[in-house]
Short mmCIF file of all heavy atoms in Angstrom, two decimals:
data_model
loop_
_atom_site.label_atom_id
_atom_site.label_comp_id
_atom_site.label_asym_id
_atom_site.label_seq_id
_atom_site.Cartn_x
_atom_site.Cartn_y
_atom_site.Cartn_z
N ILE A 295 0.86 -1.18 0.00
CA ILE A 295 0.00 0.00 0.00
C ILE A 295 0.90 1.24 0.00
O ILE A 295 2.04 1.19 0.46
CB ILE A 295 -0.97 0.04 1.21
CG1 ILE A 295 -0.22 0.06 2.54
CG2 ILE A 295 -1.93 -1.13 1.15
CD1 ILE A 295 -1.12 0.27 3.74
N GLN A 296 0.38 2.32 -0.56
CA GLN A 296 1.15 3.56 -0.55
C GLN A 296 0.65 4.46 0.58
O GLN A 296 -0.48 4.32 1.06
CB GLN A 296 1.05 4.28 -1.89
CG GLN A 296 -0.32 4.86 -2.20
CD GLN A 296 -0.28 5.98 -3.22
OE1 GLN A 296 0.67 6.75 -3.30
NE2 GLN A 296 -1.32 6.07 -4.03
N GLN A 297 1.52 5.39 0.96
CA GLN A 297 1.23 6.24 2.11
C GLN A 297 -0.13 6.91 1.99
O GLN A 297 -0.50 7.44 0.95
CB GLN A 297 2.31 7.31 2.27
CG GLN A 297 2.37 8.33 1.14
CD GLN A 297 3.41 9.40 1.41
OE1 GLN A 297 4.45 9.14 2.00
NE2 GLN A 297 3.14 10.62 0.98
N GLY A 298 -0.88 6.82 3.06
CA GLY A 298 -2.13 7.55 3.16
C GLY A 298 -3.34 6.86 2.58
O GLY A 298 -4.47 7.28 2.85
N ASP A 299 -3.13 5.80 1.78
CA ASP A 299 -4.32 5.11 1.26
C ASP A 299 -5.11 4.47 2.39
O ASP A 299 -6.32 4.24 2.26
CB ASP A 299 -3.92 4.06 0.22
CG ASP A 299 -3.74 4.66 -1.17
OD1 ASP A 299 -4.15 5.82 -1.37
OD2 ASP A 299 -3.20 3.97 -2.05
N GLU A 300 -4.44 4.17 3.50
CA GLU A 300 -5.15 3.64 4.67
C GLU A 300 -5.88 4.73 5.43
O GLU A 300 -6.59 4.42 6.40
CB GLU A 300 -4.16 2.92 5.60
CG GLU A 300 -3.33 3.81 6.50
CD GLU A 300 -2.11 4.45 5.83
OE1 GLU A 300 -2.06 4.48 4.58
OE2 GLU A 300 -1.22 4.93 6.55
N MET A 301 -5.73 6.00 4.99
CA MET A 301 -6.37 7.12 5.67
C MET A 301 -7.30 7.89 4.76
O MET A 301 -7.76 8.96 5.12
CB MET A 301 -5.30 8.06 6.24
CG MET A 301 -4.47 7.43 7.34
SD MET A 301 -2.96 8.37 7.70
CE MET A 301 -3.63 9.99 7.96
N TYR A 302 -7.54 7.35 3.54
CA TYR A 302 -8.46 8.00 2.60
C TYR A 302 -7.87 9.32 2.09
O TYR A 302 -8.54 10.35 2.03
CB TYR A 302 -9.83 8.22 3.26
CG TYR A 302 -10.98 8.44 2.30
CD1 TYR A 302 -11.28 7.52 1.31
CD2 TYR A 302 -11.79 9.58 2.41
CE1 TYR A 302 -12.35 7.73 0.44
CE2 TYR A 302 -12.86 9.79 1.55
CZ TYR A 302 -13.13 8.86 0.57
OH TYR A 302 -14.20 9.07 -0.30
N ARG A 303 -6.61 9.28 1.67
CA ARG A 303 -5.90 10.47 1.21
C ARG A 303 -6.26 10.81 -0.23
O ARG A 303 -6.40 9.92 -1.08
CB ARG A 303 -4.38 10.24 1.30
CG ARG A 303 -3.53 11.39 0.78
CD ARG A 303 -2.06 11.10 0.99
NE ARG A 303 -1.51 10.18 0.02
CZ ARG A 303 -0.83 10.54 -1.06
NH1 ARG A 303 -0.62 11.82 -1.31
NH2 ARG A 303 -0.35 9.63 -1.89
N THR A 304 -6.36 12.10 -0.52
CA THR A 304 -6.61 12.56 -1.88
C THR A 304 -5.47 13.45 -2.36
O THR A 304 -4.80 14.11 -1.56
CB THR A 304 -7.93 13.34 -1.99
OG1 THR A 304 -8.12 13.75 -3.36
CG2 THR A 304 -7.91 14.59 -1.10
N GLN A 305 -5.24 13.45 -3.66
CA GLN A 305 -4.35 14.41 -4.32
C GLN A 305 -5.14 15.28 -5.29
O GLN A 305 -4.58 15.85 -6.22
CB GLN A 305 -3.21 13.70 -5.06
CG GLN A 305 -2.21 13.05 -4.13
CD GLN A 305 -1.03 12.40 -4.82
OE1 GLN A 305 -0.05 12.05 -4.18
NE2 GLN A 305 -1.11 12.20 -6.13
N GLY A 306 -6.44 15.37 -5.07
CA GLY A 306 -7.27 16.21 -5.92
C GLY A 306 -7.32 15.76 -7.36
O GLY A 306 -7.52 16.58 -8.26
N GLY A 307 -7.15 14.47 -7.59
CA GLY A 307 -7.20 13.95 -8.95
C GLY A 307 -5.90 14.04 -9.70
O GLY A 307 -5.84 13.70 -10.88
N ASN A 308 -4.83 14.47 -9.04
CA ASN A 308 -3.52 14.54 -9.70
C ASN A 308 -2.90 13.15 -9.67
O ASN A 308 -2.65 12.59 -8.61
CB ASN A 308 -2.63 15.55 -8.97
CG ASN A 308 -1.37 15.90 -9.76
OD1 ASN A 308 -0.78 15.07 -10.43
ND2 ASN A 308 -0.97 17.17 -9.68
N ASN A 309 -2.65 12.58 -10.85
CA ASN A 309 -2.09 11.23 -10.89
C ASN A 309 -0.61 11.22 -11.27
O ASN A 309 -0.06 10.18 -11.63
CB ASN A 309 -2.91 10.32 -11.83
CG ASN A 309 -2.63 10.58 -13.30
OD1 ASN A 309 -1.99 11.57 -13.68
ND2 ASN A 309 -3.13 9.70 -14.16
N ASN A 310 0.03 12.39 -11.17
CA ASN A 310 1.46 12.48 -11.48
C ASN A 310 2.06 13.63 -10.67
O ASN A 310 2.65 14.56 -11.22
CB ASN A 310 1.68 12.71 -12.98
CG ASN A 310 3.14 12.61 -13.37
OD1 ASN A 310 3.89 11.80 -12.83
ND2 ASN A 310 3.56 13.44 -14.32
N ALA A 311 1.93 13.56 -9.35
CA ALA A 311 2.24 14.70 -8.48
C ALA A 311 3.73 14.79 -8.14
O ALA A 311 4.09 15.20 -7.04
CB ALA A 311 1.40 14.62 -7.21
N TYR A 312 4.58 14.47 -9.10
CA TYR A 312 6.03 14.44 -8.85
C TYR A 312 6.59 15.81 -8.51
O TYR A 312 7.65 15.92 -7.88
CB TYR A 312 6.76 13.88 -10.08
CG TYR A 312 6.81 14.85 -11.25
CD1 TYR A 312 7.97 15.59 -11.50
CD2 TYR A 312 5.72 15.04 -12.08
CE1 TYR A 312 8.03 16.49 -12.55
CE2 TYR A 312 5.76 15.94 -13.12
CZ TYR A 312 6.92 16.66 -13.36
OH TYR A 312 6.97 17.56 -14.39
N ALA A 313 5.91 16.87 -8.94
CA ALA A 313 6.43 18.22 -8.75
C ALA A 313 5.67 19.00 -7.68
O ALA A 313 5.76 20.22 -7.62
CB ALA A 313 6.38 18.98 -10.07
N GLN A 314 4.94 18.29 -6.83
CA GLN A 314 4.09 18.95 -5.84
C GLN A 314 4.61 18.68 -4.43
O GLN A 314 4.08 17.87 -3.69
CB GLN A 314 2.64 18.46 -6.00
CG GLN A 314 2.07 18.67 -7.38
CD GLN A 314 1.99 20.13 -7.78
OE1 GLN A 314 1.84 21.01 -6.94
NE2 GLN A 314 2.09 20.40 -9.08
N ASP A 315 5.67 19.40 -4.07
CA ASP A 315 6.19 19.29 -2.71
C ASP A 315 5.41 20.28 -1.85
O ASP A 315 5.92 21.30 -1.38
CB ASP A 315 7.69 19.60 -2.70
CG ASP A 315 8.32 19.32 -1.34
OD1 ASP A 315 7.65 18.70 -0.49
OD2 ASP A 315 9.47 19.73 -1.13
N ASN A 316 4.14 19.96 -1.64
CA ASN A 316 3.21 20.87 -0.96
C ASN A 316 2.03 20.04 -0.45
O ASN A 316 2.10 18.81 -0.41
CB ASN A 316 2.75 21.98 -1.92
CG ASN A 316 2.24 21.42 -3.25
OD1 ASN A 316 1.50 20.44 -3.26
ND2 ASN A 316 2.64 22.02 -4.36
N GLU A 317 0.94 20.70 -0.11
CA GLU A 317 -0.19 20.01 0.50
C GLU A 317 -0.82 18.96 -0.43
O GLU A 317 -1.58 18.10 0.04
CB GLU A 317 -1.27 21.01 0.93
CG GLU A 317 -0.90 21.83 2.17
CD GLU A 317 0.02 23.00 1.87
OE1 GLU A 317 0.39 23.18 0.68
OE2 GLU A 317 0.38 23.73 2.81
N ILE A 318 -0.53 19.01 -1.72
CA ILE A 318 -1.07 17.99 -2.61
C ILE A 318 -0.52 16.61 -2.25
O ILE A 318 -1.25 15.61 -2.26
CB ILE A 318 -0.79 18.35 -4.08
CG1 ILE A 318 -1.60 19.58 -4.49
CG2 ILE A 318 -1.11 17.17 -5.01
CD1 ILE A 318 -1.33 20.06 -5.91
N THR A 319 0.79 16.55 -1.93
CA THR A 319 1.41 15.26 -1.61
C THR A 319 1.68 15.08 -0.12
O THR A 319 2.00 13.97 0.30
CB THR A 319 2.73 15.09 -2.37
OG1 THR A 319 3.62 16.17 -2.05
CG2 THR A 319 2.51 15.05 -3.87
N TRP A 320 1.57 16.14 0.67
CA TRP A 320 1.80 16.00 2.10
C TRP A 320 0.59 15.34 2.76
O TRP A 320 -0.54 15.79 2.61
CB TRP A 320 2.05 17.36 2.75
CG TRP A 320 3.30 18.05 2.26
CD1 TRP A 320 4.29 17.53 1.48
CD2 TRP A 320 3.67 19.41 2.53
NE1 TRP A 320 5.25 18.48 1.24
CE2 TRP A 320 4.90 19.64 1.88
CE3 TRP A 320 3.08 20.44 3.26
CZ2 TRP A 320 5.55 20.87 1.94
CZ3 TRP A 320 3.72 21.66 3.32
CH2 TRP A 320 4.96 21.87 2.67
N LEU A 321 0.85 14.30 3.50
CA LEU A 321 -0.22 13.54 4.13
C LEU A 321 -0.90 14.38 5.22
O LEU A 321 -0.24 14.93 6.11
CB LEU A 321 0.38 12.28 4.74
CG LEU A 321 -0.55 11.17 5.22
CD1 LEU A 321 -1.55 10.81 4.15
CD2 LEU A 321 0.26 9.96 5.63
N ASP A 322 -2.22 14.48 5.12
CA ASP A 322 -3.01 15.25 6.08
C ASP A 322 -3.43 14.33 7.22
O ASP A 322 -4.46 13.65 7.15
CB ASP A 322 -4.23 15.86 5.38
CG ASP A 322 -5.04 16.77 6.31
OD1 ASP A 322 -4.73 16.82 7.51
OD2 ASP A 322 -5.98 17.42 5.82
N TRP A 323 -2.63 14.31 8.28
CA TRP A 323 -2.88 13.40 9.39
C TRP A 323 -4.12 13.79 10.19
O TRP A 323 -4.77 12.93 10.78
CB TRP A 323 -1.66 13.38 10.31
CG TRP A 323 -0.49 12.70 9.68
CD1 TRP A 323 0.47 13.25 8.88
CD2 TRP A 323 -0.18 11.30 9.76
NE1 TRP A 323 1.36 12.30 8.46
CE2 TRP A 323 0.99 11.09 8.99
CE3 TRP A 323 -0.76 10.22 10.41
CZ2 TRP A 323 1.58 9.83 8.86
CZ3 TRP A 323 -0.17 8.97 10.28
CH2 TRP A 323 0.98 8.78 9.51
N GLU A 324 -4.44 15.07 10.22
CA GLU A 324 -5.58 15.51 11.04
C GLU A 324 -6.92 15.11 10.43
O GLU A 324 -7.91 14.97 11.13
CB GLU A 324 -5.52 17.04 11.21
CG GLU A 324 -4.25 17.54 11.91
CD GLU A 324 -4.21 17.16 13.39
OE1 GLU A 324 -5.21 16.64 13.89
OE2 GLU A 324 -3.16 17.39 14.02
N ASP A 325 -6.94 14.92 9.10
CA ASP A 325 -8.21 14.67 8.42
C ASP A 325 -8.33 13.23 7.93
O ASP A 325 -9.17 12.92 7.11
CB ASP A 325 -8.36 15.65 7.24
CG ASP A 325 -9.79 15.72 6.73
OD1 ASP A 325 -10.72 15.66 7.56
OD2 ASP A 325 -9.97 15.81 5.49
N GLY A 326 -7.46 12.35 8.41
CA GLY A 326 -7.51 10.96 7.96
C GLY A 326 -8.73 10.23 8.50
O GLY A 326 -9.30 10.59 9.54
N ASP A 327 -9.14 9.19 7.80
CA ASP A 327 -10.30 8.39 8.19
C ASP A 327 -9.81 7.20 9.02
O ASP A 327 -9.27 6.23 8.50
CB ASP A 327 -11.04 7.91 6.95
CG ASP A 327 -12.36 7.24 7.29
OD1 ASP A 327 -12.45 6.58 8.34
OD2 ASP A 327 -13.31 7.35 6.48
N GLY A 328 -10.00 7.29 10.33
CA GLY A 328 -9.52 6.25 11.22
C GLY A 328 -10.17 4.90 11.01
O GLY A 328 -9.57 3.86 11.29
N SER A 329 -11.41 4.90 10.48
CA SER A 329 -12.08 3.61 10.28
C SER A 329 -11.39 2.79 9.20
O SER A 329 -11.36 1.56 9.27
CB SER A 329 -13.55 3.84 9.91
OG SER A 329 -13.68 4.41 8.61
N ILE A 330 -10.80 3.47 8.21
CA ILE A 330 -10.10 2.74 7.15
C ILE A 330 -8.74 2.27 7.66
O ILE A 330 -8.27 1.17 7.32
CB ILE A 330 -9.98 3.61 5.89
CG1 ILE A 330 -11.38 3.94 5.37
CG2 ILE A 330 -9.19 2.88 4.80
CD1 ILE A 330 -11.41 4.87 4.18
N VAL A 331 -8.09 3.08 8.51
CA VAL A 331 -6.87 2.62 9.18
C VAL A 331 -7.16 1.32 9.93
O VAL A 331 -6.41 0.34 9.83
CB VAL A 331 -6.34 3.69 10.15
CG1 VAL A 331 -5.13 3.16 10.93
CG2 VAL A 331 -5.96 4.97 9.41
N ASN A 332 -8.26 1.31 10.66
CA ASN A 332 -8.62 0.11 11.43
C ASN A 332 -8.90 -1.08 10.51
O ASN A 332 -8.54 -2.22 10.84
CB ASN A 332 -9.85 0.39 12.30
CG ASN A 332 -9.55 1.38 13.41
OD1 ASN A 332 -8.41 1.57 13.80
ND2 ASN A 332 -10.60 2.03 13.92
N LEU A 333 -9.53 -0.81 9.37
CA LEU A 333 -9.81 -1.90 8.43
C LEU A 333 -8.51 -2.51 7.91
O LEU A 333 -8.37 -3.75 7.85
CB LEU A 333 -10.65 -1.39 7.26
CG LEU A 333 -10.87 -2.42 6.14
CD1 LEU A 333 -11.76 -3.57 6.63
CD2 LEU A 333 -11.47 -1.77 4.91
N VAL A 334 -7.55 -1.67 7.52
CA VAL A 334 -6.28 -2.20 7.00
C VAL A 334 -5.59 -3.05 8.06
O VAL A 334 -5.09 -4.15 7.77
CB VAL A 334 -5.37 -1.04 6.53
CG1 VAL A 334 -3.96 -1.54 6.25
CG2 VAL A 334 -5.96 -0.38 5.29
N ALA A 335 -5.55 -2.56 9.29
CA ALA A 335 -4.93 -3.34 10.36
C ALA A 335 -5.65 -4.67 10.56
O ALA A 335 -5.01 -5.73 10.72
CB ALA A 335 -4.94 -2.53 11.66
N ALA A 336 -6.99 -4.64 10.53
CA ALA A 336 -7.77 -5.86 10.73
C ALA A 336 -7.58 -6.84 9.58
O ALA A 336 -7.47 -8.05 9.78
CB ALA A 336 -9.25 -5.52 10.90
N LEU A 337 -7.54 -6.32 8.35
CA LEU A 337 -7.32 -7.18 7.19
C LEU A 337 -5.96 -7.86 7.26
O LEU A 337 -5.81 -9.05 6.97
CB LEU A 337 -7.44 -6.37 5.90
CG LEU A 337 -8.85 -5.96 5.47
CD1 LEU A 337 -8.78 -4.89 4.38
CD2 LEU A 337 -9.64 -7.18 4.97
N ASN A 338 -4.95 -7.09 7.65
CA ASN A 338 -3.60 -7.66 7.74
C ASN A 338 -3.52 -8.71 8.84
O ASN A 338 -2.89 -9.76 8.67
CB ASN A 338 -2.59 -6.53 7.98
CG ASN A 338 -1.17 -6.95 7.65
OD1 ASN A 338 -0.94 -7.87 6.87
ND2 ASN A 338 -0.21 -6.28 8.26
N THR A 339 -4.17 -8.44 9.95
CA THR A 339 -4.20 -9.42 11.04
C THR A 339 -4.91 -10.69 10.60
O THR A 339 -4.43 -11.81 10.86
CB THR A 339 -4.91 -8.82 12.27
OG1 THR A 339 -4.18 -7.68 12.73
CG2 THR A 339 -5.02 -9.85 13.39
N PHE A 340 -6.04 -10.53 9.91
CA PHE A 340 -6.79 -11.70 9.42
C PHE A 340 -5.94 -12.50 8.44
O PHE A 340 -5.87 -13.74 8.49
CB PHE A 340 -8.08 -11.23 8.75
CG PHE A 340 -8.95 -12.35 8.26
CD1 PHE A 340 -9.89 -12.92 9.09
CD2 PHE A 340 -8.84 -12.83 6.96
CE1 PHE A 340 -10.70 -13.97 8.66
CE2 PHE A 340 -9.64 -13.87 6.51
CZ PHE A 340 -10.58 -14.44 7.36
N ARG A 341 -5.28 -11.80 7.54
CA ARG A 341 -4.44 -12.47 6.53
C ARG A 341 -3.36 -13.32 7.20
O ARG A 341 -3.15 -14.49 6.84
CB ARG A 341 -3.82 -11.41 5.62
CG ARG A 341 -2.78 -11.92 4.63
CD ARG A 341 -2.10 -10.76 3.91
NE ARG A 341 -1.02 -11.25 3.06
CZ ARG A 341 -1.20 -11.70 1.83
NH1 ARG A 341 -2.42 -11.72 1.30
NH2 ARG A 341 -0.17 -12.15 1.12
N LYS A 342 -2.67 -12.73 8.17
CA LYS A 342 -1.58 -13.46 8.83
C LYS A 342 -2.09 -14.62 9.66
O LYS A 342 -1.38 -15.63 9.84
CB LYS A 342 -0.77 -12.48 9.69
CG LYS A 342 0.06 -11.49 8.87
CD LYS A 342 1.00 -10.66 9.72
CE LYS A 342 0.28 -9.63 10.54
NZ LYS A 342 1.23 -8.72 11.25
#
């Protein structure tokens, strides 16, 4: 998984953000979706 996908991260539809050293690529920790974080952890635990 890539950073932030477990937190419902968006880049505003930018699919090539190589030149965006700013809020487009910076992970927004305050606005993350904790329920999806919990799902990823639970899925990984179940898998193992």
Side-chain angles (χ1 to χ4, degrees):
I295 61 173
Q296 69 158 327
Q297 66 177 34
D299 276 348
E300 79 279 17
M301 294 165 52
Y302 199 56
R303 177 176 77 99
T304 180
Q305 291 183 167
N308 193 323
N309 76 349
N310 188 36
Y312 74 100
Q314 303 298 330
D315 188 11
N316 51 44
E317 287 81 359
I318 291 177
T319 57
W320 296 350
L321 192 51
D322 184 353
W323 290 88
E324 299 290 353
D325 196 37
D327 188 327
S329 69
I330 298 176
V331 175
N332 292 338
L333 174 68
V334 169
L337 286 166
N338 198 24
T339 298
F340 182 88
R341 173 187 175 84
K342 289 188 288 187

